[in-house]
Amino acid sequence: MLEIGLIFRALMRNKIGALLIALQIALTLAIMVNAIFMIQDRNVQMSRPSGLDESNTFYLTNTVFGENYNLQAALQTDLQKLRNMDGIDNAIQINAVPLSDGGWSMGLAREPGEDKNSVGTAIYMVDEHGIDTLGVNLIAGQNFTQQDIAWRGAQDTKWPPKAIVTKALATSLFPDDWQSAVGKTVFISKDQPMQIIGIVEQLQAPWNGWSGVERSTLVPSQLESKSAKYFIRTEAGRRDEMMAAVEKFLSESDKQRIIRQVMTVEDTRKQSYQQHIATNKILTTVIITLTMITAFGIVGLAIFSINRRTKQIGTRRALGATQWQIMRYFMVENFMISAVGVTIGAIGAIALNYWLVNTFQIDPISIDLIIYGVIALFIVGQLAVFYPAKRASLISPATATRTT
Amino acid sequence: MLEMKNINKIFQTADVQTHALRDFNLTVNEGDFVSVTGPSGSGKTTFLNIAGLLETYTSGDFYLDGQNVGMLNDSGRSKMRNQKIGFVFQGFNLIPDLNLFYNVDVPLRYRGFNAKERKQRIEENLARVGLASRMKHVPSQLSGGQQQRVAIARALATDPRFLLADEPTGNLDSEMADGVMSLLEDINKQGTTIIMVTHDPELALRASRRIQVKDGRVSELDIVAEKALA
Amino acid sequence: MFSYYIKIALISIKRNWGLSSLMILAIALGIGATMTTVTVNYLMSADPIPHKSDQLYYVRLDSWDPNNPYNEGISPPAQMTYIDATNLLKAKKAYRQNLSSQAFGVIEPPNPDDLPLFVFGRANSSDFFAMFDVPFLFGSPWDENSDLSKEQVIVLSKQTNDRLFGGENSVGKTLRFESKVFKVVGVLDHYDPKPRYFDISTGAFDDPADFYVPFSLIAEQAVRRSGNTNCWKTFGDGFEAFLASECIWIAFWVELQNQDQVEAYQTFLDAYANEQKNFGRFPRPIDNRLTNVTDYMEEREVVADDARMMMAMSFMFLVVCLLNTVGLLLAKFIGKAPEIGLRQALGASRSTLFLQYIIESGCIGLAGGLLGLLFAYLGLQSVETLYGSYMQGLATLDFNMVVFAMVLALVSTVIAGIYPTWRACRIQPARQLKCQ
């Protein structure tokens, strides 16, 4: 303890050197804490379930180019055959796929009219097999029946009278009691009534960055379209095998179309979050490199200061200081510099976060994270100074008596 | 030649004032070989530093080669050091990173000689101290005596009027010291004025003129000796 | 003398290789990180058509919902309705005008055994090619008459031509596109502007188009349209009703050669909107905008937040690296105190010494800059790998960036070197010479 005053006075004589290290530690803390925060934020986003049975589903796009093509008959035949294929649990036609970044959104309002507030939702057009094929959980109300399903032409603007919504959408529409949504009528496209007949637990919209990503609506429509998606759920573990089989079967059964973009939901998730994953990797690299640079800076300056004080250290040893006392001197010195650094750094971290929050719409940081960062940097500092301190402790007491 | 009149040097720290030189008066003539002796802390190193324009003085007048040194700024003093003064130190003070050629080259560069002249002077002076063959070596590959010879070659390379030596043999054994001393005597005979600080009375005796510094003041020893002889 | 300082600096760097390589590495990492992010930002925000960007104007009209302003009233709708776009095209009040939409379709290969080709492209006016300086390898754009008479003509991208015709001059040949016969009138040279400024509705860094067809074919339903569509007013069934609706899905550009033309066009737009009010359209206050390329890219913030954030962080990273360098240079130069004292004794003035050590810092900076370029190259490679197609073409170092990197490295290291050098040159020579 008696050393602290001594170390402090010695530090004051080399203020700039100590300050440089402290500033490095401060900036490292500020950047590190914010980077980790951003990584965590992305990880939370990426870990949200889509609601789909992701490991056993895939989809493809069926694009028709032939003329005088009977779209309705072809779709019915395709789905029938797919559903009967060995290894396939169920199959549907759908207009969009969660997380795929392409889809259809509409607003739902509790009252009809031009100027009523509406809640945005993703629209998925499915038939009565939709809930089973997607793998979503119906937690209230009921599924569509075969009678509910209606054809929808490419330019139609009429909506079917029934819908199934996600719990999140039900909560947005009826904030007091989401379960009360079942049986209620809401309005789509300003004035077309739609009755909510069921609620599913979770089903994400196609756009992962959208604030309403959990708000989706299933409607009982089948698209009469020259470019539609088939969504297929296989028996557990047979997805990859079935992907190839289905592609081959569909391409060969009809030469007037192209089967393209055959893709698993898992790959879609990866692609959807590709930027997140990439950014996280870069941020991780930044944190590691930054910490290493700071650590090397500490090592470099400690070695320098020890070289400069060789004779002084020798003299201390000659006067009876133990090796441990010499080491302790440098470790305490580093601790004191780190303390200044992390204090400035904690303020810097909050300031940087404040700027990020204002510029890039990021949430404010939690204090816990700053505390962990502070502890981590204290440890890094002590580890970095350990080797130079060890070297200092090995300086021979005889150095004291040498003149040069 | 070198003339100091009432030079005072006061070191001022937070709470202590040290009077290193008090009304210091000295004239050194061309061709002198002056030895400066005195106890530790007497001010002999301060005198040498001021004489070598390495340090400023607090008051008094100092003329070097007729030039009033007090009028010069840093670059004027640097120029004068480069042109008129050569230094030899107790610790040799060679640049460890550079080989002998480049060590001797340093003051020649500051003088601004062209490459041909520099090369000629370096080779000539290294030959003069007997180390021409070791031009590519770095200082750590040489003995202490050899290092001091390089330092002397470096000091002489610019043809200075004065050679200031601060305990030039302090770090050498007696055999090497003798060699260095003989070299200095030769140089003096060839016309260079030498001022040498030493604590070794035997070496001091080899100089043509001896002065002593004590408590920041100077006294001539030889005058006493000459009087005794007379 | 300069070359002497450089020689001395190199010797000094070599002799203290541990400390020197630490500094060079720190600077290189800082420069590498900064250059990686700066390059991505620079290419994202690059002016895609520098010689003309102040003559090309994106046109926006506020035909939106009286109750719910588009974009909270900050700016008018980002695209245009079919009615307005075709009216403005017919009016021909600008030097050149272009309306366009994304389109797609299937090309059937001449040999029925080959797989059909699914292609994405654009439907636009004939002026498009001249307005945006699109380079042709073979043939030329279709003319205005082809547009008016809904001719089935097509311009292929170089890549599509390579795939269909093996890179030959295919002008005059025909192909089956969307079950109809189209005549090839032109083949483009490589054309992939970043950002794809003439249509950023689905992303500013999308892949280039595979084909271009006259816009009039969209109304004919000869090709299928895609892209972003936004509607606020209900409309009837069928494509005719859609075309007549208030849905926005078209990008409309004009070329105006000088400020007078810009003002005249603005007046024309406002008069047009007022006239439309007579038909019960344009229920909102008049807000028509002409925005040139660079302003529009800026307004729509094509530079991704991630990229900007990374750039900010990388500059802080560089500051840490420089603080590190300041510390290490300080250590190095103070360690050289005896040498500095000696050089002063041998005739070096302080300014001479200052120059010498600043040059040494500069050498370290240059070495760091060179290594940093290598790091930046590797960094950009990994950015491209990590982000995939999104970053395609945005991760290459051009000459400007290389120069910028070297200047940044040099300047920042010299700045970092000023304090240590100043400290070193303040050394009292006398103290350093006596005892070591």
Side-chain angles (χ1 to χ4, degrees):
Chain A
M1 282 303 109
L2 67 153
E3 277 178 319
I4 288 179
L6 201 72
I7 297 171
F8 182 74
R9 278 195 296 277
L11 275 178
M12 289 314 284
R13 253 173 275 131
N14 183 22
K15 282 192 280 280
I16 298 290
L19 192 68
L20 285 169
I21 291 286
L23 279 178
Q24 271 184 66
I25 292 173
L27 268 174
T28 305
L29 179 69
I31 298 174
M32 180 167 93
V33 167
N34 278 284
I36 290 176
F37 178 69
M38 286 187 266
I39 291 174
Q40 282 181 343
D41 187 49
R42 285 185 168 75
N43 281 340
V44 168
Q45 275 187 51
M46 287 193 283
S47 63
R48 294 175 307 193
S50 62
L52 303 172
D53 176 11
E54 291 190 21
S55 50
N56 297 312
T57 47
F58 70 94
Y59 61 96
L60 53 87
T61 305
N62 174 36
T63 303
V64 173
F65 57 87
E67 275 183 295
N68 307 318
Y69 191 93
N70 188 336
L71 289 167
Q72 292 193 6
L75 175 64
Q76 275 162 342
T77 320
D78 280 347
L79 287 181
Q80 186 116 49
K81 285 193 175 150
L82 285 175
R83 285 169 186 158
N84 288 334
M85 257 173 100
D86 180 43
I88 285 181
D89 264 357
N90 215 335
I92 50 168
Q93 185 219 50
I94 196 165
N95 61 322
V97 173
L99 299 179
S100 68
D101 206 37
W104 199 328
S105 84
M106 290 299 292
L108 294 185
R110 283 172 64 173
E111 291 165 80
E114 291 279 334
D115 54 350
K116 295 296 178 293
N117 283 333
S118 63
V119 178
T121 171
I123 300 286
Y124 293 114
M125 297 174 181
V126 296
D127 62 13
E128 73 277 14
H129 295 272
I131 285 184
D132 179 51
T133 312
L134 294 168
V136 293
N137 282 336
L138 187 69
I139 52 173
Q142 58 201 21
N143 192 2
F144 303 122
T145 63
Q146 207 175 346
Q147 286 73 45
D148 294 330
I149 315 300
W151 285 104
R152 185 188 172 102
Q155 305 301 334
D156 288 356
T157 55
K158 287 282 171 292
W159 292 90
K162 287 184 183 174
I164 294 173
V165 299
T166 57
K167 184 177 157 185
L169 177 56
T171 311
S172 295
L173 284 165
F174 303 95
D176 302 332
D177 178 13
W178 61 268
Q179 276 171 309
S180 72
V182 180
K184 292 266 170 53
T185 297
V186 291
F187 296 87
I188 190 165
S189 198
K190 315 266 185 209
D191 53 7
Q192 298 186 39
M194 237 181 183
Q195 191 190 23
I196 298 173
I197 62 159
I199 296 174
V200 292
E201 193 179 358
Q202 185 159 42
L203 177 61
Q204 287 192 327
W207 314 279
N208 70 49
W210 182 40
S211 58
V213 65
E214 300 297 341
R215 297 203 295 263
S216 302
T217 304
L218 295 171
V219 294
S221 300
Q222 289 294 274
L223 277 170
E224 200 177 338
S225 162
K226 287 182 126 182
S227 199
K229 289 187 169 66
Y230 291 175
F231 191 94
I232 295 147
R233 185 177 185 185
T234 66
E235 285 172 13
R238 297 188 66 181
R239 181 192 64 195
D240 296 350
E241 165 202 345
M242 294 321 291
M243 274 171 83
V246 166
E247 183 175 8
K248 187 163 182 282
F249 159 68
L250 289 175
S251 320
E252 284 174 2
S253 68
D254 186 341
K255 290 283 182 193
Q256 288 196 295
R257 66 175 172 196
I258 305 179
I259 301 301
R260 53 189 194 96
Q261 290 176 335
V262 186
M263 203 164 162
T264 66
V265 172
E266 281 175 347
D267 283 344
T268 305
R269 167 177 285 277
K270 262 187 220 144
Q271 216 170 61
S272 171
Y273 288 113
Q274 188 178 30
Q275 284 189 44
H276 280 33
I277 294 167
T279 306
N280 274 3
K281 280 187 183 156
I282 291 173
L283 288 175
T284 310
T285 317
V286 166
I287 296 169
I288 293 170
T289 327
L290 200 55
T291 313
M292 271 169 46
I293 288 177
T294 304
F296 277 122
I298 293 172
V299 174
L301 282 185
I303 288 180
F304 161 72
S305 101
I306 287 160
N307 283 346
R308 216 165 48 139
R309 286 189 267 187
T310 303
K311 198 165 172 186
Q312 187 196 344
I313 295 163
T315 310
R316 278 168 194 274
R317 293 277 286 131
L319 294 176
T322 63
Q323 291 197 346
W324 164 239
Q325 280 168 329
I326 298 292
M327 275 189 80
R328 194 177 61 186
Y329 179 94
F330 289 101
M331 297 183 81
V332 171
E333 183 186 70
N334 174 270
F335 189 86
M336 287 165 66
I337 296 172
S338 297
V340 175
V342 296
T343 311
I344 304 171
I347 299 166
I350 294 167
L352 176 60
N353 181 248
Y354 182 79
W355 179 72
L356 289 170
V357 167
N358 280 314
T359 320
F360 302 111
Q361 288 87 41
I362 286 171
D363 290 329
I365 205 162
S366 75
I367 295 297
D368 293 6
L369 205 55
I370 297 182
I371 293 169
Y372 292 136
V374 166
I375 295 169
L377 279 178
F378 269 123
I379 294 171
V380 168
Q382 291 294 302
L383 287 177
V385 86
F386 184 82
Y387 165 73
K390 185 82 200 164
R391 247 179 62 163
S393 76
L394 296 177
I395 288 172
S396 155
T399 319
T401 56
R402 279 186 213 131
T403 47
T404 50
Chain B
M1 199 53 241
L2 179 149
E3 195 176 7
M4 287 184 177
K5 284 186 192 156
N6 297 324
I7 293 285
N8 281 281
K9 174 70 181 179
I10 300 165
F11 288 108
Q12 187 87 44
T13 54
D15 35 33
V16 195
Q17 212 183 39
T18 320
H19 220 123
L21 295 181
R22 293 167 197 269
D23 295 332
F24 196 98
N25 288 293
L26 181 70
T27 306
V28 176
N29 297 312
E30 185 140 23
D32 278 359
F33 189 152
V34 185
S35 72
V36 183
T37 53
S40 273
S42 61
K44 58 185 194 297
T45 298
T46 305
F47 154 69
L48 198 75
N49 286 340
I50 291 173
L53 274 52
L54 293 172
E55 234 170 80
T56 52
Y57 45 91
T58 315
S59 67
D61 290 311
F62 174 19
Y63 294 91
L64 192 69
D65 235 12
Q67 171 102 38
N68 187 345
V69 173
M71 306 293 286
L72 297 172
N73 61 10
D74 177 68
S75 91
R77 294 150 60 83
S78 301
K79 210 166 171 185
M80 197 162 219
R81 278 198 295 270
N82 184 256
Q83 291 177 355
K84 305 212 163 137
I85 304 168
F87 288 97
V88 178
F89 306 98
Q90 178 178 5
F92 323 136
N93 293 23
L94 298 175
I95 298 175
D97 296 350
L98 305 178
N99 65 26
L100 303 194
F101 183 93
Y102 283 120
N103 260 291
V104 179
D105 188 38
V106 172
L108 302 176
R109 289 278 184 173
Y110 294 129
R111 177 70 74 87
F113 288 134
N114 64 31
K116 198 177 142 210
E117 173 143 25
R118 288 203 311 272
K119 188 163 184 286
Q120 192 197 332
R121 281 173 179 254
I122 294 164
E123 283 167 356
E124 202 177 284
N125 283 287
L126 279 173
R128 195 167 168 189
V129 300
L131 287 165
S133 59
R134 322 233 6 208
M135 219 146 15
K136 292 277 154 61
H137 288 96
V138 289
S140 59
Q141 293 167 309
L142 303 182
S143 72
Q146 287 169 322
Q147 289 193 39
Q148 195 59 298
R149 285 164 178 277
V150 178
I152 292 170
R154 182 177 64 188
L156 295 176
T158 51
D159 283 332
R161 307 282 293 274
F162 296 94
L163 190 67
L164 302 185
D166 187 6
E167 303 270 13
T169 58
N171 281 0
L172 304 175
D173 63 34
S174 58
E175 195 183 329
M176 285 181 179
D178 188 54
V180 166
M181 206 48 213
S182 309
L183 186 56
L184 289 176
E185 282 164 350
D186 284 351
I187 291 161
N188 179 245
K189 277 185 198 128
Q190 287 163 31
T192 309
T193 310
I194 297 180
I195 300 173
M196 177 181 75
V197 167
T198 182
H199 63 270
D200 184 339
E202 217 172 294
L203 286 180
L205 275 171
R206 289 169 75 165
S208 62
R209 181 178 164 199
R210 288 176 293 142
I211 59 170
Q212 192 180 37
V213 181
K214 211 172 187 178
D215 297 329
R217 291 174 207 275
V218 68
S219 55
E220 296 269 348
L221 291 180
D222 282 4
I223 297 166
V224 181
E226 274 163 31
K227 272 181 186 162
L229 277 172
Chain C
M1 214 56 191
F2 191 77
S3 64
Y4 174 64
Y5 291 144
I6 289 187
K7 200 189 271 168
I8 295 290
L10 293 182
I11 291 172
S12 160
I13 288 167
K14 248 195 295 191
R15 297 285 294 191
N16 300 287
W17 66 270
L19 211 54
S20 305
S21 47
L22 202 55
M23 282 187 274
I24 292 172
L25 190 68
I27 292 164
L29 284 169
I31 293 290
T34 313
M35 286 318 299
T36 306
T37 59
V38 168
T39 303
V40 169
N41 275 271
Y42 162 78
L43 292 174
M44 274 188 162
S45 58
D47 186 341
I49 182 160
H51 58 287
K52 262 184 113 167
S53 56
D54 57 344
Q55 289 172 37
L56 296 172
Y57 289 83
Y58 191 63
V59 184
R60 283 174 293 174
L61 306 174
D62 195 352
S63 57
W64 209 247
D65 188 344
N67 300 310
N68 278 314
Y70 188 91
N71 190 19
E72 289 155 3
I74 297 164
S75 60
Q79 287 166 293
M80 207 182 275
T81 64
Y82 179 77
I83 313 173
D84 294 324
T86 45
N87 283 343
L88 294 186
L89 184 75
K90 268 183 226 144
K92 276 196 176 178
K93 293 287 185 197
Y95 174 62
R96 285 185 180 124
Q97 43 253 309
N98 171 56
L99 76 173
S100 72
S101 152
Q102 294 176 39
F104 68 98
V106 176
I107 296 176
E108 291 163 65
N111 180 353
D113 291 339
D114 289 347
L115 280 176
L117 201 61
F118 193 90
V119 284
F120 285 96
R122 306 196 64 79
N124 48 249
S125 319
S126 51
D127 274 353
F128 171 82
F129 304 95
M131 274 174 84
F132 299 108
D133 279 352
V134 184
F136 272 80
L137 201 57
F138 307 118
S140 59
W142 59 84
D143 60 21
E144 206 189 327
N145 286 330
S146 312
D147 232 340
L148 293 172
S149 56
K150 294 156 191 160
E151 272 178 52
Q152 287 172 2
V153 290
I154 191 165
V155 169
L156 300 177
S157 74
K158 185 171 190 296
Q159 203 190 4
T160 315
N161 189 55
D162 287 349
R163 277 162 73 183
L164 290 172
F165 298 102
E168 278 176 46
N169 184 350
S170 58
V171 172
K173 294 192 177 166
T174 57
L175 51 81
R176 274 188 76 77
F177 179 48
E178 291 292 281
S179 310
K180 291 168 204 74
V181 177
F182 275 73
K183 191 174 122 198
V184 179
V185 293
V187 175
L188 299 189
D189 205 345
H190 175 77
Y191 182 59
D192 183 16
K194 301 269 182 184
R196 195 190 63 191
Y197 57 104
F198 51 78
D199 182 6
I200 56 174
S201 61
T202 54
F205 302 100
D206 282 1
D207 290 336
D210 299 322
F211 70 89
Y212 301 82
V213 294
F215 185 82
S216 52
L217 297 179
I218 291 264
E220 291 296 289
Q221 289 189 269
V223 286
R224 288 178 271 181
R225 64 166 202 96
S226 62
N228 219 331
T229 305
N230 279 294
C231 308
W232 61 274
K233 201 174 187 177
T234 50
F235 55 95
D237 288 347
F239 198 65
E240 288 299 318
F242 172 72
L243 291 182
S245 74
E246 291 291 350
C247 296
I248 52 166
W249 53 280
I250 295 169
F252 195 88
W253 285 87
V254 290
E255 183 172 341
L256 301 168
Q257 290 166 304
N258 53 48
Q259 200 51 41
D260 289 347
Q261 288 188 10
V262 174
E263 278 160 27
Y265 203 77
Q266 181 73 50
T267 313
F268 160 70
L269 287 179
D270 293 347
Y272 170 79
N274 270 319
E275 185 192 307
Q276 289 294 311
K277 277 179 185 284
N278 299 336
F279 302 107
R281 298 187 62 236
F282 285 77
R284 301 188 55 78
I286 301 280
D287 182 9
N288 302 323
R289 296 197 198 173
L290 281 171
T291 320
N292 72 26
V293 175
T294 39
D295 291 348
Y296 190 56
M297 295 302 108
E298 216 163 280
E299 186 188 321
R300 293 293 301 269
E301 295 182 336
V302 295
V303 180
D305 270 4
D306 267 11
R308 281 166 57 209
M309 192 181 68
M310 294 273 190
M311 184 163 78
M313 288 189 109
S314 69
F315 270 105
M316 281 188 273
F317 187 104
L318 178 63
V319 171
V320 174
C321 295
L322 289 175
L323 283 175
N324 202 308
T325 309
V326 176
L328 296 175
L329 276 177
L330 196 60
K332 186 174 175 182
F333 289 170
I334 288 175
K336 276 176 172 285
E339 180 184 327
I340 292 165
L342 176 77
R343 283 182 180 275
Q344 280 181 284
L346 296 179
S349 63
R350 286 203 176 128
S351 50
T352 313
L353 284 168
F354 192 84
L355 193 63
Q356 178 188 334
Y357 289 101
I358 279 291
I359 287 175
E360 184 166 339
S361 312
C363 285
I364 288 170
L366 281 179
L370 282 174
L371 189 61
L373 275 178
L374 179 71
F375 285 161
Y377 175 76
L378 296 175
L380 288 168
Q381 295 276 305
S382 39
V383 161
E384 205 166 52
T385 319
L386 284 171
Y387 284 94
S389 61
Y390 173 69
M391 284 285 169
Q392 216 72 52
L394 287 175
T396 44
L397 279 169
D398 65 8
F399 178 73
N400 288 345
M401 285 292 106
V402 170
V403 172
F404 178 72
M406 295 315 288
V407 171
L408 182 65
L410 191 63
V411 169
S412 54
T413 323
V414 165
I415 290 172
I418 285 177
Y419 176 74
T421 308
W422 179 76
R423 271 279 299 263
C425 294
R426 267 177 19 128
I427 282 164
Q428 288 296 319
R431 294 241 187 114
Q432 298 302 328
L433 295 167
K434 181 64 185 166
C435 60
Q436 288 186 314

